[in-house]
Amino acid sequence: MKVAYLLLLLALPLGAQTQTVCGPDPSADKDPSLGDFARQNRKAPASRSRFVLTDEDLTPKLPIPDIAIDGDSNDKEIAEAYATYYEAHTRQEIDRKVRAWYDLQVSAYNRLRDEVAHIQSAQQGNYYYNQYPQYPPDEPYDPQKMREQAALAQAGMQADQRTTQRDQMQMSRIQGALVRLRMVVDPQGKRYDWFNTNLFQRQ
């Protein structure tokens, strides 16, 4: 009788343990499954604001704008920007800024002049070929091909001529604006002896 009673006492913990391990988890209905968790995250993604850098953000802001070489003249905007800068800075700062601005305009003028000079030099070197295209001596003469080569050469010359005319017009705009704007930044014409408005002379 005692042995049976002891066996019954030993079996009770085992049964309780087995029921605990193998039985249903009462908290199982409360915790979402991994699939439900993933679906909830897909439905409500975290909102994040993204900042994208552009060329405008990377370009330094100049207090005085460049001379407009296309469209309407911007003399008024340049004069107003200079007046605003003048009111808030020392004389030395103003002088340095005017010189830096002037150098940028001269550099733009020189780039245009160099392009014109390059085109004109190439045209002079290719003048005879453009007028009298050479046909390969090892190929049979083809009048149609000769006409096509002549048309291509003529089209190239016309494109170069348009580029030259555009560049020369823009150069004239820069020089004309500098003549007018010097009266704004140096009314007496004595402070900036380096402010040359005759840009046809190499700077």
Side-chain angles (χ1 to χ4, degrees):
M1 188 65 179
K2 294 181 178 181
V3 173
Y5 180 73
L6 290 174
L7 291 174
L8 179 61
L9 291 176
L10 291 173
L12 286 175
L14 291 175
Q17 184 178 1
T18 303
Q19 184 177 1
T20 304
V21 174
C22 299
D25 186 359
S27 64
D29 295 336
K30 298 179 182 179
D31 296 334
S33 66
L34 292 177
D36 294 337
F37 183 76
R39 282 191 292 273
Q40 290 176 2
N41 284 342
R42 284 199 298 269
K43 291 180 181 178
S47 59
R48 297 178 181 178
S49 59
R50 296 181 60 188
F51 179 75
V52 180
L53 286 176
T54 63
D55 292 339
E56 185 176 356
D57 296 322
L58 298 176
T59 303
K61 305 299 182 183
L62 298 177
I64 306 175
D66 293 329
I67 295 171
I69 58 178
D70 293 308
D72 297 333
S73 171
N74 65 335
D75 287 7
K76 181 179 179 181
E77 289 78 3
I78 294 174
E80 291 175 349
Y82 169 77
T84 301
Y85 191 86
Y86 184 91
E87 293 296 331
H89 293 80
T90 65
R91 183 73 255 184
Q92 291 181 344
E93 291 173 332
I94 295 169
D95 292 346
R96 287 196 299 268
K97 190 58 61 178
V98 171
R99 181 59 189 263
W101 174 84
Y102 173 82
D103 289 342
L104 286 176
Q105 313 319 304
V106 173
S107 295
Y109 182 95
N110 288 338
R111 285 194 298 270
L112 294 169
R113 178 168 55 185
D114 290 343
E115 185 176 35
V116 171
H118 177 75
I119 291 174
Q120 291 175 343
S121 177
Q123 286 180 339
Q124 292 175 359
N126 296 330
Y127 176 79
Y128 181 83
Y129 174 80
N130 292 333
Q131 296 297 320
Y132 308 99
Q134 301 298 309
Y135 197 80
D138 56 343
E139 295 183 12
Y141 179 75
D142 185 348
Q144 178 62 25
K145 190 172 184 179
M146 286 291 292
R147 287 192 292 270
E148 291 175 355
Q149 288 182 348
L152 288 174
Q154 185 66 22
M157 292 180 62
Q158 291 174 352
D160 287 342
Q161 185 176 5
R162 289 192 296 270
T163 300
T164 299
Q165 291 175 347
R166 180 205 64 195
D167 289 352
Q168 289 175 337
M169 182 179 299
Q170 293 176 346
M171 290 164 60
S172 178
R173 290 193 60 164
I174 292 175
Q175 178 160 326
L178 286 177
V179 172
R180 297 187 299 271
L181 291 168
R182 178 164 186 174
M183 300 300 297
V184 175
V185 301
D186 189 12
Q188 303 297 325
K190 298 179 180 179
R191 186 169 190 87
Y192 302 138
D193 55 354
W194 43 262
F195 202 117
N196 180 22
T197 58
N198 183 16
L199 299 184
F200 290 110
Q201 299 177 357
R202 174 64 65 176
Q203 296 292 315

